[in-house]
Amino acid sequence: MFLVMSDAYIALADGRVVEARGRVPGRTRGELVFTTAYTGYEESLTDPSYEEQVLTFSYPLIGNYGVRDERFESDRVHPRAAVAREFTEDVVEWLASEDVPAIDHIDTRDLVTSIREEGAMKCGIAVGDDVTPEDAREELAKCKGMSEHVDIGKQVSVDEPELHEGGGVTDVALVDCGAKGSIVSSLTDRGANVHVLPYDTSVSDIEALEPDVLFISNGPGDPANFEQAATLVEAFAGEVPIAGICLGQQVVARALGGTTEKMAFGHRGVNQPVIDVETGKVVMTTQNHGYTVAEPGDQLDVTQRNVNDDTAEGLANDELNVITRQYHPEANPGPHDTLGFFDEVLGMVDHDDTQRRAVADD
Ligand SMILES: NC(=O)CC[C@H](N)C(=O)O
């Protein structure tokens, strides 16, 4: 028996300070959340929806099939820190190259149980040769709640519009609130030209683009902090088909008279069962969210629900051509049961109109 000095501490909002092994040094803070996904660590760590959070993996060994940038969902790691029972060297090297603190050799089952019982909570992390529990507590004291990150859209969105061509005639205006790359490629793979636009794009900029679909992406934080995206939905509902994924669903609901609320610990994983209200068909879905649509409002119907807790997983208004999902139909990571969503979205486009405009533009 010998004593191993700890070189990492995580201070939790419930008052505990837990020792760990430091893998990547640094001091940071964020909302402590967990994912139950057993694969897909590269996709999750590069998902912009995790901005300002600390991501705990409940699966014990993270990194067992290496790190390949072709699986990245954006160009950087978004959680402020990563926590696992055991990280492989590959993942540690990657996180170190991005200056993202990482800790392991910690009882993640206990952490996850605390989050499930007490809810997602603020935490502070200190990793390094001479850190003390007090250093982690100091980080915790500086930690803001998710809804206090009012400019979080700016941290994750493109600064200037980007065009990703799909080769077809359909133009999608994708409002980038922190979009995963797979949303863009799921659309370009189906021939759509995707205009990735800043999260605060104006109504007149969208008008000038004359898109066939207005698409609100996933994104981090509280949907209440994406007011401009909601303004776009209000302005174009009924004029242009509208789609949304995750934060996109929440923004669409808020714009059309619905409300959102914070969940206790959210849904993060790749095996969340969702039932279609009309057909009774159940699909397995990938999820990563901490807020949910509480009331859909008068204009939207709940078309899909989470089998575990009944929360709204799909909303629609067939007359206005609005369709949204709370889960991630693009998967990455996760099951491909729901890729058909992108066909449904592009199916809302009036192709006669698109063709006419394409000809007129020539
Ligand atoms: N993946 C997302 O778009 C997450 C949406 C929102 N930030 C939430 O936590 O609920």
Side-chain angles (χ1 to χ4, degrees):
M1 216 28 208
F2 59 95
L3 189 68
V4 181
M5 293 299 287
S6 177
D7 60 354
Y9 295 95
I10 177 166
L12 308 175
D14 67 7
R16 288 190 298 154
V17 180
V18 184
E19 291 185 14
R21 174 171 72 161
R23 300 305 305 273
V24 179
R27 294 179 192 203
T28 194
R29 55 201 174 263
E31 181 185 55
L32 185 67
V33 297
F34 68 88
T35 177
T36 57
Y38 27 84
T39 58
Y41 47 90
E42 296 135 304
E43 293 90 331
S44 295
L45 286 165
T46 52
D47 177 348
S49 309
Y50 283 112
E51 186 86 359
E52 299 295 352
Q53 291 175 320
V54 169
L55 180 56
T56 305
F57 292 92
S58 70
Y59 188 76
L61 176 61
I62 295 299
N64 47 340
Y65 51 90
V67 175
R68 296 258 295 274
D69 58 9
E70 69 205 42
R71 292 193 282 258
F72 291 178
E73 284 294 316
S74 71
D75 59 8
R76 70 176 169 91
V77 171
H78 286 273
R80 277 179 163 262
V83 181
R85 175 69 201 153
E86 183 91 35
F87 283 120
T88 64
E89 286 304 321
D90 287 339
V91 173
V92 169
E93 266 171 42
W94 174 37
L95 294 173
S97 74
E98 299 229 4
D99 256 338
V100 174
I103 59 175
D104 67 3
H105 284 194
I106 184 170
D107 185 350
T108 45
R109 197 186 299 204
D110 179 56
L111 271 191
V112 168
T113 306
S114 303
I115 299 168
R116 281 187 62 106
E117 282 169 5
E118 299 161 49
M121 62 179 93
K122 295 177 184 175
C123 74
I125 289 181
V127 186
D129 281 343
D130 14 75
V131 293
T132 63
E134 195 45 43
D135 296 328
R137 280 199 200 96
E138 271 173 26
E139 286 298 321
L140 170 63
K142 288 188 275 183
C143 187
K144 289 194 212 169
M146 288 311 288
S147 60
E148 291 171 90
H149 291 286
V150 290
D151 288 327
I152 203 163
K154 202 177 172 53
Q155 292 171 223
V156 291
S157 183
V158 291
D159 292 328
E160 298 293 331
E162 277 175 15
L163 174 60
H164 296 254
E165 296 200 38
V169 291
T170 304
D171 285 293
V172 175
L174 177 67
V175 180
D176 176 17
C177 302
K180 285 171 66 187
S182 297
I183 294 182
V184 178
S185 59
S186 297
L187 290 163
T188 54
D189 285 352
R190 287 167 175 75
N193 303 312
V194 182
H195 302 260
V196 180
L197 305 171
Y199 75 109
D200 56 354
T201 296
S202 66
V203 170
S204 57
D205 281 346
I206 302 275
E207 270 166 0
L209 204 60
E210 291 190 51
D212 301 296
V213 177
L214 174 65
F215 203 129
I216 314 295
S217 81
N218 65 295
D222 187 340
N225 288 326
F226 288 83
E227 270 177 26
Q228 181 56 22
T231 302
L232 297 178
V233 173
E234 274 177 64
F236 292 100
E239 305 290 323
V240 175
I242 293 176
I245 289 179
C246 210
L247 181 107
Q249 159 156 310
Q250 299 162 356
V251 165
V252 168
R254 293 177 64 88
L256 299 181
T259 57
T260 52
E261 65 186 5
K262 193 145 179 8
M263 304 165 86
F265 53 87
H267 297 154
R268 295 178 183 84
V270 293
N271 60 353
Q272 287 280 336
V274 167
I275 186 162
D276 185 290
V277 172
E278 212 173 86
T279 64
K281 186 180 170 193
V282 172
V283 285
M284 278 299 156
T285 69
T286 295
Q287 304 211 3
N288 167 19
H289 65 111
Y291 291 82
T292 189
V293 171
E295 290 297 330
D298 293 340
Q299 302 199 65
L300 293 165
D301 293 321
V302 178
T303 57
Q304 304 193 343
R305 287 192 181 277
N306 191 294
V307 174
N308 295 332
D309 63 9
D310 230 28
T311 49
E313 295 285 2
L315 303 174
N317 179 320
D318 292 341
E319 267 155 50
L320 295 179
N321 273 327
V322 176
I323 182 171
T324 66
R325 295 290 181 260
Q326 184 57 63
Y327 53 86
H328 286 271
E330 76 282 3
N332 285 304
H336 291 179
D337 295 26
T338 53
L339 284 171
F341 173 70
F342 295 96
D343 300 306
E344 279 186 67
V345 169
L346 297 174
M348 293 192 294
V349 175
D350 179 345
H351 287 287
D352 291 344
D353 213 43
T354 315
Q355 293 290 358
R356 254 197 312 279
R357 239 197 14 248
V359 171
D361 284 351
D362 275 349

